[in-house]
Amino acid sequence: MVTIDEFKNIDIRIGKVLEASPHETARNPMYVLKVDFGSEIGERTIVAGIRDRYAKGEIEGRKIACVVNLEPKSVAGVISNGMILAAESGETLSLLVPDREIDQGSRVH
Amino acid sequence: MVTIDEFKNIDIRIGKVLEASPHETARNPMYVLKVDFGSEIGERTIVAGIRDRYAKGEIEGRKIACVVNLEPKSVAGVISNGMILAAESGETLSLLVPDREIDQGSRVH
């Protein structure tokens, strides 16, 4: 169980994926994403291990949900400053996305 | 800032909305949702203040992302056992949904 305050500490925002490049040195199939979170947060680099599930063209330009207040973390030499949210079941991976057009930077609560 | 463990404590799942009924006694426009989270978690009642933004037919049958490990909470006399996730910006509200078909009960991470 968690409290509502523990949930509210997690800053989840809608970001727009500007670019998805293959992570050149990671052993697993990862992207280095450039994600725009609007004027307050700006652009972030986020490493995401979804390159075997989503083609570049399926993710570039999309608006997706990301956690933006985790400590930055090095992933095979690239600093990731956020984490995408995805649902997983067996072999299926599915990004979490807003179901209506909404500005990047919008907060999820 | 939060740690990855603090994030992992939050149990976010994909649920399928079986039914959306108006909350009869709440002052604000709320739904009482019946949401199916699959065999492990089962069916939950979740109160959601989105009745002025989403028509019944827009939400029934949808798969949506919800936090499922919050303490149950009484909302104007109805016990809500979970919370839907939505992004908000000005007047726009947008539910968070999986962008590919995936089983209810799938965990978000």
Side-chain angles (χ1 to χ4, degrees), chain A residues 35-105:
Chain A
V35 186
D36 176 35
F37 291 97
S39 56
E40 185 192 346
I41 294 178
E43 203 179 303
R44 294 274 186 97
T45 297
I46 296 179
V47 177
I50 61 169
R51 191 153 63 88
D52 54 345
R53 317 291 187 91
Y54 279 81
K56 184 178 165 75
E58 282 178 299
I59 180 149
E60 284 185 342
R62 299 293 305 277
K63 288 182 178 172
I64 61 175
C66 301
V67 182
V68 298
N69 67 334
L70 293 166
E71 293 281 351
K73 182 188 164 191
S74 174
V75 182
V78 176
I79 301 294
S80 182
N81 199 356
M83 190 176 75
I84 66 165
L85 292 187
E88 197 163 20
S89 173
E91 289 302 298
T92 305
L93 187 88
S94 178
L95 293 171
L96 279 201
V97 300
D99 82 329
R100 289 178 176 170
E101 173 54 28
I102 196 161
D103 293 339
Q104 49 260 52

Side-chain angles (χ1 to χ4, degrees), chain B residues 84-104:
Chain B
I84 67 166
L85 293 186
E88 196 163 19
S89 174
E91 289 301 298
T92 305
L93 187 88
S94 178
L95 293 171
L96 280 201
V97 300
D99 83 329
R100 290 179 175 170
E101 173 54 28
I102 196 161
D103 293 339
Q104 50 262 50

Side-chain angles (χ1 to χ4, degrees), chain B residues 6 17 26 34 36 51 60 74 76 82 86 98 102 107:
Chain B
E6 286 171 311
V17 179
K34 294 285 175 197
D36 176 36
R51 192 152 63 89
E60 284 185 338
S74 174
I102 196 161
R107 186 151 183 179

Side-chain angles (χ1 to χ4, degrees), chain B residues 36-91:
Chain B
D36 176 36
F37 292 97
S39 55
E40 185 192 346
I41 295 178
E43 203 178 306
R44 293 274 188 95
T45 296
I46 296 179
V47 177
I50 61 169
R51 192 152 63 89
D52 54 344
R53 316 292 185 91
Y54 280 81
K56 182 177 165 77
E58 284 178 297
I59 181 146
E60 284 185 338
R62 299 294 305 278
K63 287 182 178 174
I64 62 174
C66 302
V67 182
V68 298
N69 66 336
L70 293 166
E71 293 282 351
K73 184 188 164 192
S74 174
V75 182
V78 175
I79 302 294
S80 183
N81 198 356
M83 191 176 74
I84 67 166
L85 293 186
E88 196 163 19
S89 174
E91 289 301 298

